[in-house]
Amino acid sequence: MTATRTASVPNTSNVSSPTGPSSTSHTPTDIASVASDLDVIVVGAGISGISAAHYLRERCPGTRFAMLEARQSLGGTWDLFRYPGVRSDSDMFTLGFSFRPWNSDQAIAEGGKILDYLKDTAHAEGLDGLIRYGHKLREARWDSSIARWTLDIERTYPDGRQETQQLTCRFLFMCSGYYAYDAGHSPAWPGMDDFTGKLVHPQHWPANLDYRDKRVVIIGSGATAVTLLPNMAPSAAHVTMLQRSPSYILSMPSRDGAAERLRALLPAGLAHRIVRMKNVLVTLGFYNAARRWPNAIRRVLIKRAARQAQGHVDVARDLSPRYNPWDQRLCLAPGGDIFKALRSGRASIVTDEIASFTQTGLALKSGKTLDADIVVTATGLRVQLMGGAKLLVDGEPVALADTVSYKGMMYSGVPNLASIFGYTNASWTLKAELIAQYVCRLVNHMNRHGYDTCVPRLRPHEHAELPAIGLTSGYIQRAAGELPKQGGRKPWVFYQSYFRDVRLMRWGRVDDGAMRFERRATREVDTPQVADALSGMKAASR
């Protein structure tokens, strides 16, 4: 990103840019591996970060950027979660990248295969060399006088040593997900200290946990619990899913037959695009039908689940949720695996509430007890935006709850910052790619016009009261006071519609009136790394 005024900070890139060739032979990877002042910093090296890096390299040639990853490996969610059966909750033809086809006909994939896919993608794209591991963003401070973010980084080396570093950038691209990696949501129940068995949270699954021939109770009814039950049941003595209330469980084939047939007939790239669009249409069609005819879809889902359970549960009590479909995400059961486990007799569902833990298990409010050797608290995530980093704009702390979401990717009054938050009713990657593409349009627009600042601003008559995310899921409701708001019309609406977002982000104007572009830098940057770069540019021009 460049600015044309003398008082602004020029582009210090040593690589080729849209305005002309470079003066040295350094590559973007060389620069990113050593530079401490960059055009764009991407925070996070999971699906979102890899998507962001791909499009920055492809569509913003010459832009100097690096990826910061707090952990010592890439992959995000798919590297963190290691519980039995961890898998995608969206089909892989849309969870995978549009620019790197998912080449299996396996529609719902295991976590390990997804991680391999992400590693292969990063390596094939040459993005793995741009990742700085062990870099945890603690604080980001925007200074309008230099049109830059200054980042305080806690760096952790593989041997455990730590130090604090500072980086600066013109644009901050947050791709760190929406939940805290250090710990999930863990309620406290009476008597937990009395329990003599093992207590486990899926987010930190012990590598050596042996549950063979053990009695296991899984607390929860969401996607994690629905995944754990059928994967633990074959080895455990018995697995019980203890739920306060049911979730909708939708069986779907483990493999996509259409994908297999199309790949046999068509070139791989074309087959991938057709299958991807087919799955987008099916997913969004079902979602829209559920919102329009909730009672009818509710009956269909419950009837299908009851037919597969074959009398092994009380349908009214155990399979009939209290909410409408898509008020919360549906739980997928590839190949109907959870129902097979229930029919086998090695697993069961109990709908009740916990009164207390005991030495040997759980006492329920109904008066019943559940004996357990292992209790798994599949009780959800703890929402955390910006990776937990503190944001300040010209010295003032930013409370995201006081901001309004702009196109579901930026925040009113916060300059030169975008973040990725995927769909709740479809694949995360669909929205991640749209946002990454839009950020590239934004960066290029600023470069072409010599702007150094972009900031979404509400007009005086505009206001927002609605939560940005409308789900009633526990993890969203617990974080309601921390999430931004949304308005009643674009660009302040947080759409849950891929096709509306395509129109808005691929074809909509960048300079739309709500996004304000400014040349605000009023003094030169005095950090040593930028001063050195400026000196190098002056020497090269002589």
Side-chain angles (χ1 to χ4, degrees):
M1 294 168 62
T2 61
T4 57
R5 299 197 316 161
T6 303
S8 299
V9 180
N11 189 337
T12 58
S13 175
N14 288 334
V15 298
S16 59
S17 71
T19 57
S22 77
S23 58
T24 75
S25 60
H26 290 303
T27 67
T29 302
D30 294 334
I31 298 298
S33 66
V34 297
S36 54
D37 178 71
L38 296 158
D39 297 316
V40 181
I41 288 181
V42 177
V43 179
I47 284 178
S48 299
I50 292 171
S51 179
H54 166 83
Y55 286 106
L56 282 168
R57 169 168 282 178
E58 177 186 80
R59 301 190 179 189
C60 300
T63 296
R64 300 173 312 124
F65 69 95
M67 304 164 68
L68 308 185
E69 171 54 52
R71 309 176 79 237
Q72 297 296 339
S73 55
L74 64 82
T77 293
W78 304 107
D79 182 64
L80 175 67
F81 284 99
R82 302 298 177 93
Y83 60 81
V86 58
R87 54 173 169 75
S88 60
D89 61 353
S90 300
D91 72 275
M92 286 305 303
F93 301 98
T94 57
L95 187 65
F97 301 112
S98 64
F99 55 84
R100 188 170 176 81
W102 175 254
N103 289 321
S104 168
D105 62 354
Q106 190 174 11
I108 303 297
E110 301 168 358
K113 292 183 178 180
I114 299 173
L115 181 59
D116 289 341
Y117 167 78
L118 295 178
K119 289 180 177 179
D120 290 345
T121 299
H123 182 70
E125 295 278 321
L127 302 175
D128 43 3
L130 295 170
I131 303 172
R132 302 185 187 186
Y133 293 106
H135 282 61
K136 171 72 174 176
L137 175 60
R138 291 299 184 186
E139 184 172 286
R141 299 180 299 279
W142 172 260
D143 185 342
S144 294
S145 69
I146 57 174
R148 263 180 174 73
W149 288 98
T150 297
L151 312 184
D152 289 345
I153 306 297
E154 179 183 276
R155 183 172 183 183
T156 303
Y157 292 88
D159 61 6
R161 290 182 299 117
Q162 289 187 329
E163 65 179 23
T164 301
Q165 296 182 347
Q166 278 195 348
L167 302 173
T168 55
C169 64
R170 296 173 177 82
F171 197 98
L172 183 57
F173 199 175
M174 298 300 299
C175 300
S176 51
Y178 66 100
Y179 67 91
Y181 276 36
D182 57 343
H185 175 63
S186 296
W189 290 281
M192 291 181 73
D193 292 338
D194 298 330
F195 180 55
T196 57
K198 293 185 180 294
L199 191 63
V200 177
H201 193 286
Q203 192 162 322
H204 296 287
W205 195 269
N208 59 350
L209 181 65
D210 183 5
Y211 53 87
R212 289 175 298 176
D213 301 322
K214 301 291 176 60
R215 297 164 299 178
V216 179
V217 173
I218 303 168
I219 303 172
S221 62
T224 302
V226 169
T227 299
L228 279 166
L229 184 147
N231 283 279
M232 298 183 76
S235 299
H238 190 84
V239 179
T240 302
M241 188 170 84
L242 173 61
Q243 58 182 19
R244 287 188 302 176
S245 60
S247 300
Y248 291 102
I249 303 175
L250 174 64
S251 293
M252 66 176 294
S254 300
R255 297 187 175 276
D256 192 318
E260 189 173 9
R261 290 190 293 273
L262 284 170
R263 273 203 299 268
L265 298 172
L266 301 172
L270 177 59
H272 174 75
R273 289 193 294 273
I274 293 173
V275 173
R276 185 179 177 89
M277 185 52 61
K278 181 262 294 183
N279 288 356
V280 169
L281 291 169
V282 169
T283 301
L284 293 184
F286 177 69
Y287 171 80
N288 289 329
R291 305 312 285 174
R292 185 171 182 179
W293 303 293
N295 291 332
I297 300 299
R298 171 186 171 84
R299 288 192 296 270
V300 170
L301 290 172
I302 294 173
K303 184 176 180 179
R304 286 187 58 177
R307 184 168 60 246
Q308 291 187 281
Q310 295 181 2
H312 287 76
V313 296
D314 183 315
V315 174
R317 182 190 64 206
D318 301 326
L319 294 178
S320 301
R322 303 169 187 169
Y323 56 89
N324 285 330
W326 280 113
D327 283 352
Q328 300 179 22
R329 285 185 68 101
L330 304 185
C331 298
L332 297 183
D337 57 2
I338 188 172
F339 299 110
K340 292 176 183 177
L342 293 171
R343 295 196 303 266
S344 74
R346 301 184 68 90
S348 57
I349 297 177
V350 172
T351 304
D352 208 326
E353 293 190 47
I354 298 170
S356 69
F357 275 67
T358 67
Q359 286 188 333
T360 58
L362 300 166
L364 308 181
K365 290 187 177 180
S366 65
K368 297 179 181 178
T369 60
L370 290 175
D371 291 333
D373 302 300
I374 300 171
V375 173
V376 181
T377 55
T379 46
L381 305 169
R382 184 164 57 85
V383 172
Q384 178 180 269
L385 300 182
M386 305 294 150
K390 182 179 179 181
L391 301 181
L392 296 95
V393 172
D394 292 327
E396 294 295 322
V398 174
L400 291 179
D402 296 334
T403 69
V404 183
S405 174
Y406 172 85
K407 297 184 179 179
M409 55 167 278
M410 298 179 76
Y411 305 92
S412 59
V414 182
N416 291 35
L417 181 146
S419 68
I420 286 180
F421 196 108
Y423 293 117
T424 59
N425 64 343
S427 162
W428 180 276
T429 312
L430 293 173
K431 185 68 174 286
E433 288 199 33
L434 287 177
I435 292 175
Q437 293 163 7
Y438 188 87
V439 166
C440 291
R441 293 183 64 199
L442 188 60
V443 167
N444 289 334
H445 179 87
M446 294 174 71
N447 283 341
R448 282 194 300 271
H449 296 278
Y451 297 121
D452 52 27
T453 302
C454 64
V455 56
R457 294 195 186 279
L458 289 163
R459 297 179 179 90
H461 65 280
E462 292 178 319
H463 60 89
E465 301 293 337
L466 299 172
I469 304 170
L471 293 181
T472 62
S473 305
Y475 69 99
I476 295 296
Q477 294 304 306
R478 288 191 298 269
E482 303 173 25
L483 298 174
K485 304 293 190 296
Q486 67 170 312
R489 66 180 197 176
K490 66 179 184 181
W492 306 107
V493 179
F494 200 108
Y495 289 126
Q496 291 294 334
S497 170
Y498 175 68
F499 295 109
R500 295 182 79 170
D501 280 334
V502 165
R503 290 196 298 270
L504 187 68
M505 294 189 175
R506 286 187 184 167
W507 304 325
R509 290 179 55 194
V510 173
D511 190 355
D512 60 2
M515 180 68 75
R516 308 297 177 85
F517 295 96
E518 304 165 5
R519 299 183 181 94
R520 296 178 59 186
T522 58
R523 65 181 175 87
E524 296 287 352
V525 179
D526 55 7
T527 55
Q529 63 269 22
V530 178
D532 290 345
L534 293 176
S535 298
M537 288 185 66
K538 292 175 182 177
S541 65
R542 286 197 290 267

